């Protein structure tokens, strides 16, 4: 109610989005998502569509707070990096479900890292270090819960510490370090 007293148009816009969100939630509750996730074309189609949206944001996006990661239409903004988080969760769930026996193999770890690396590279070009680091956290978290042996986890943490130190001194800009 306090928003409506400051900017009535903002209140109506927010109310409209809340109603639209409720309708989307109700509609999506009618879909059998488990059967859709079993289809590789759906999982990877959603993944590549989201990558395409991230590329569109990089090329055509209007800079907002120093990041060219937003797609703007009319007065509304959309950040495809947020959708990328959902896409990666779906891809990792589908891929690691099928490869749960071989999760410790370097091939499986490398391929899941590759799924992270493609969107992370594009998102870092925007530059949005926060979203890219969250994508990394998703990848690492999925490896942890998928039954990766302790030796591989320790090796990964050591490599992460070395890479983080290198990035701190040679990659991050001063404003990123201040955050």
């Amino acid at each position: 109610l306090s928003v409506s007293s400051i900017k009535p148009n903002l209140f109506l816009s927010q109310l409209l989005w809340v109603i639209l969100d409720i309708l989307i939630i109700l509609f999506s509750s009618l879909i059998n998502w488990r059967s859709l996730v079993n289809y590789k074309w759906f999982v990877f189609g959603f993944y590549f569509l989201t990558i395409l949206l991230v590329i569109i944001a990089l090329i055509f996006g209007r800079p907002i707070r120093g990041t060219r990661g937003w797609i703007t239409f009319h007065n509304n903004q959309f950040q495809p990096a947020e959708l990328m988080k959902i896409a990666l969760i779906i891809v990792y769930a589908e891929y690691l479900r099928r490869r749960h026996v071989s999760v410790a193999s370097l091939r499986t770890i490398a391929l899941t890292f590759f799924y992270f690396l493609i969107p992370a590279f594009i998102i870092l070009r925007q530059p949005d270090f926060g979203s890219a680091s969250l994508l990394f956290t998703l990848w690492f978290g999925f490896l942890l819960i998928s039954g990766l042996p302790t030796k591989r986890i320790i090796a990964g943490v050591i490599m992460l510490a070395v890479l983080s130190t290198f990035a701190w001194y040679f990659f991050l800009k001063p404003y990123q370090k201040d955050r």
Side-chain angles (χ1 to χ4, degrees), residues 30-174:
L30 300 174
I31 297 172
N32 184 1
W33 293 103
R34 286 185 187 257
S35 63
L36 276 177
V37 175
N38 287 329
Y39 296 112
K40 280 186 176 182
W41 64 266
F42 175 78
V43 171
F44 289 101
F46 182 62
Y47 174 75
F48 288 115
L49 174 69
T50 309
I51 287 177
L52 180 65
L53 288 173
V54 171
I55 292 170
I56 289 171
L58 175 64
I59 296 171
F60 301 109
R62 194 180 94 217
I64 297 176
R65 291 186 296 276
T67 300
R68 186 180 282 278
W70 296 81
I71 296 174
T72 304
F73 35 86
H74 301 294
N75 290 331
N76 301 306
Q77 289 107 16
F78 167 67
Q79 190 176 20
E82 298 300 320
L83 196 58
M84 192 72 238
K85 296 168 190 171
I86 296 169
L88 265 182
I89 289 170
I90 294 170
V91 164
Y92 287 151
E94 193 278 332
Y95 184 77
L96 292 172
R97 176 180 63 95
R98 294 182 191 271
R99 307 250 182 325
H100 68 280
V101 175
S102 66
V103 73
S105 76
L106 288 178
R107 182 178 188 273
T108 301
I109 294 170
L111 194 55
T112 57
F113 186 75
F114 185 70
Y115 290 143
F116 147 76
L117 196 60
I118 295 171
F121 177 75
I122 300 165
I123 290 170
L124 283 172
R125 302 282 303 146
Q126 294 177 349
D128 186 359
F129 185 72
S131 290
S133 60
L134 209 136
L135 294 180
F136 176 81
T137 305
L138 282 173
W139 171 74
F140 193 69
F142 261 90
L143 286 181
L144 286 177
I145 64 170
S146 64
L148 198 63
T150 308
K151 284 183 180 180
R152 296 267 167 112
I153 293 171
I154 292 171
V157 169
I158 291 170
M159 286 187 341
L160 177 62
V162 170
L163 288 174
S164 297
T165 304
F166 178 77
W168 180 266
Y169 287 107
F170 300 108
F171 178 70
L172 294 179
K173 294 176 176 49

